[in-house]
Amino acid sequence: MLASHMANYSAGLHDSVASMIRVGERSGVRVQISHLTVTGREHWGAVSGALSLIDDAVARGVDVAADFYPYLAGSTNLSQTLPGWAVSGGWDALRKRMDDEAQRRRMREYLTPTVWEDFLLVSTGLFPELDGLRMTEAAARVDQEPADLALDLLAVCDPTIVAFGRSELDLLAVMRHPLTVLGSDGLAVDTFGVVGGPVPHPRFFGAFPALFQKYVRENPVLTLEEAGRKCTSAPAERVRLRDRGLLRPGLRGDVVVFDPLTIADRSTYEDSRRVPDGIVTVIRGGVEVARGGSVVAGARA
């Protein structure tokens, strides 16, 4: 399997999906498109065309599918806001271009129309006083235009950001598709603020509870059974984990017991290290490892 982020999730979404499909068609590998979405308000609606490309490829015999997470924002680095030519050749090349007045001005012109309110600084590393602020707020604090602040930051670091500006209709289209599964795209972060930066994306703590809270109970898009399958047996089957994903004698005892009436994502973009509600117990390999939102003492790592 080739599971990959694509080259472009905005204006070039369809070309990127077609490129992924060509790789699978020519090589024979199974293709998994990581969190199919489209960024930038001007590109909203493009997901339907991307799903049509996938459907056509499957009809030709190509093994291609996709995953999603139930949020209208992603997590990336500030450098992703720059045009491709600016970052070509890596960091040394970028910073040399920034030293050139004409090229820096060209970058600034490219960045100026950006909807900077859609970007939340998560971890700058060198400027902790800006962490947790929208780019517009951070720019006001240092008395700069957002584009200038972005270039100044990128001259010395590449901050982690949360990027908004996505359409819920696009998310729902991907969510409903029979070939998609849920994936948090998250890392193993803790609740203490040590791993994952000052304000990690809430999906690290709440992606799975959010699906059942928002799109099964509050705004029914999937049935409980459909959502459960997209979180368990479908992804296990997709990556060929033969010993888990179903409750069946002889398989690994990985079980999450939750209350469908109370399960809820409590993480926010500003306060993300919050455990969800409604999860009664978590059992891994037949051993209870969490209960009521807390790790059970003595649980194996």
Side-chain angles (χ1 to χ4, degrees):
M1 171 180 282
L2 167 66
S4 176
H5 291 76
M6 295 189 296
N8 193 302
Y9 284 86
S10 55
L13 177 69
H14 292 171
D15 288 341
S16 292
V17 171
S19 178
M20 292 282 286
I21 290 170
R22 281 195 300 273
V23 170
E25 200 158 21
R26 295 177 182 180
S27 68
V29 301
R30 297 178 299 128
V31 173
Q32 184 74 15
I33 295 174
S34 296
H35 41 275
L36 179 60
T37 186
V38 66
T39 60
R41 299 168 191 269
E42 66 273 27
H43 307 304
W44 285 4
V47 153
S48 61
L51 291 171
S52 294
L53 290 171
I54 292 173
D55 288 337
D56 292 344
V58 170
R60 298 196 304 270
V62 184
D63 190 340
V64 56
D67 49 72
F68 66 93
Y69 47 80
Y71 296 95
L72 300 180
S75 183
T76 185
N77 294 92
L78 186 61
S79 57
Q80 293 295 305
T81 61
L82 290 170
W85 62 264
V87 296
S88 178
W91 281 107
D92 290 342
L94 169 62
R95 282 158 184 161
K96 285 181 181 177
R97 292 186 184 104
M98 285 188 172
D99 290 336
D100 181 282
E101 184 177 341
Q103 294 194 70
R104 184 183 176 98
R105 184 168 59 250
R106 185 181 170 195
M107 291 182 218
R108 187 186 188 282
E109 290 171 354
Y110 178 89
L111 291 174
T112 296
T114 302
V115 183
W116 289 109
E117 177 65 22
D118 284 345
F119 296 95
L120 174 73
L121 287 167
V122 171
S123 177
T124 61
L126 298 176
F127 307 97
E129 68 276 10
L130 301 182
D131 294 340
L133 299 179
R134 299 285 182 130
M135 279 292 291
T136 47
E137 296 172 325
R141 179 168 294 190
V142 298
D143 196 25
Q144 282 187 293
E145 290 298 317
D148 291 321
L149 173 60
L151 291 174
D152 284 349
L153 290 171
L154 288 168
V156 293
C157 60
D158 190 10
T160 305
I161 60 173
V162 167
F164 296 86
R166 299 184 183 184
S167 162
E168 187 170 40
L169 291 178
D170 285 331
L171 170 62
L172 298 185
V174 177
M175 188 182 299
R176 289 188 177 106
H177 196 279
L179 292 178
T180 63
V181 298
L182 182 70
S184 70
D185 192 40
L187 306 174
V189 300
D190 58 58
T191 57
F192 311 109
V194 176
V195 180
V199 193
H201 195 291
R203 67 192 181 196
F204 294 0
F205 295 92
F208 292 84
L211 181 70
F212 291 95
Q213 173 197 357
K214 298 176 183 177
Y215 299 111
V216 174
R217 186 173 71 243
E218 296 177 353
N219 175 26
V221 175
L222 302 173
T223 65
L224 181 64
E225 294 80 5
E226 288 171 333
R229 179 180 174 277
K230 285 180 181 285
C231 296
T232 55
S233 60
E237 179 181 355
R238 185 71 187 140
V239 297
R240 296 181 178 173
L241 290 174
R242 307 297 190 193
D243 64 340
R244 65 199 73 191
L246 294 168
L247 292 177
R248 180 177 294 167
L251 298 189
R252 180 181 169 92
D254 290 347
V255 183
V256 177
V257 179
F258 66 89
D259 184 343
L261 299 180
T262 61
I263 190 168
D265 172 20
R266 295 307 182 199
S267 298
T268 67
Y269 293 104
E270 294 75 24
D271 182 14
S272 57
R273 296 178 187 272
R274 301 175 66 185
V275 298
D277 286 343
I279 296 180
V280 180
T281 185
V282 179
I283 299 169
R284 190 182 62 200
V287 177
E288 187 180 39
V289 295
R291 184 189 311 130
S294 300
V295 175
V296 175
R300 294 174 296 178

